Amino acid sequence: MNNRYGNLASHVYNLDKHIGKSFGDVEFYRERLRDSTGPILEPAVGNGRVLIPLLDAGLQVVGFDASQEMLDHCTRECAARSLSPHVTRQTFEDFAYDECFEAVIIPAGSFQLITDHSVAMAALKRIFDHLLPNGRVILDVDPIGSVLSGASGIRRWTTQDGDLLTLTAQLAETDFVAQTTVSHLRYDRWRAGQLAASELEFFSLRWWGVEELGLALRATGFVDVTVSGNYQHGKAPENDDRSITFEARRPA
């Protein structure tokens, strides 16, 4: 199963992208949502890196994730801060809520975890259907060059109990027709110099062209599509930008 985010992978994610770490996205989303008074949904909520600062800002945010391990980190991080948001295990393919939202946000390129184009289009329609009139979707994607270059090499982290966690990554496959990449990831836990646990994962991403995703949003029914580079709202993306953000509105 691709993009599993199992025990070691979620642990590494929580160490590497801990609560309080921002790539400019936390401040950006907090500013774009500061006047919101209604409910906000964050799919692929992960460990709560964005969710928690938004809750701290007084916003009403709920979320879901496909990985129970990631949700476990999220609920622990929230509990440590006396927060108790409604977070559930769901997927982009089948998430459902009885209420509609003032905004749906997908930071950190998580939308690219949907590697099948038809599934991605269905997810946009599901998001559209879960928005209130005039509700907004705001989502990030990585530039194509970033996706194609992959994340190869070895990285390491030390846990609170002194164990060493390592991640060995290698870009294994690029499909230029499907616009996807697959990386092989190996997570290892080392204790007292001995290998204690390992996980192997396939990590898949789909890249989107700027005009392509804009057209996809409009085909879904969204209007007022704005594209911004490097978390500077309204600034047209440039080749060396690290992130590209789309914002669009469901008509009244």
Side-chain angles (χ1 to χ4, degrees), residues 168-196:
T168 305
Q170 181 178 11
L171 180 61
E173 179 183 330
T174 301
D175 187 328
F176 290 98
V177 174
Q179 298 177 204
T180 59
T181 61
V182 179
S183 295
H184 292 175
L185 308 181
R186 173 172 172 149
Y187 297 90
D188 293 312
R189 177 188 286 270
W190 302 85
R191 181 171 298 149
Q194 300 295 315
L195 182 61

Side-chain angles (χ1 to χ4, degrees), residues 119-173:
V119 174
M121 293 299 295
L124 288 179
K125 180 61 166 59
R126 189 176 296 272
I127 289 168
F128 184 91
D129 291 341
H130 276 81
L131 282 169
L132 293 165
N134 285 318
R136 293 176 293 160
V137 61
I138 312 175
L139 64 88
D140 300 341
V141 296
D142 297 326
I144 294 174
S146 175
V147 178
L148 289 175
S149 64
S152 298
I154 301 176
R155 301 181 64 196
R156 61 191 67 201
W157 300 262
T158 302
T159 67
Q160 287 185 341
D161 55 10
D163 287 356
L164 177 67
L165 295 179
T166 59
L167 165 60
T168 305
Q170 181 178 11
L171 180 61
E173 179 183 330

Side-chain angles (χ1 to χ4, degrees), residues 20 48 50 52 58 82 84-85 109 113 127 145 194 198 201 206 250:
V50 175
I52 287 173
S82 299
S84 54
L113 296 172
I127 289 168
Q194 300 295 315
S198 291
E201 293 205 8
R206 185 183 195 278
R250 174 174 178 161

Side-chain angles (χ1 to χ4, degrees), residues 29-30 32-33 40-45 50-51 54 59 61-62 92 103-107 110 127 131 136-140:
Y29 279 89
R30 191 162 50 205
R32 296 304 302 153
L33 298 168
I40 297 165
L41 172 64
E42 183 185 357
V45 71
V50 175
L51 173 85
L54 296 183
L59 297 169
V61 192
V62 302
F92 278 108
V104 176
I105 63 169
I106 314 177
S110 296
I127 289 168
L131 282 169
R136 293 176 293 160
V137 61
I138 312 175
L139 64 88
D140 300 341

Side-chain angles (χ1 to χ4, degrees), residues 76 89 113 200:
R76 281 195 296 269
R89 186 176 182 184
L113 296 172
L200 298 176

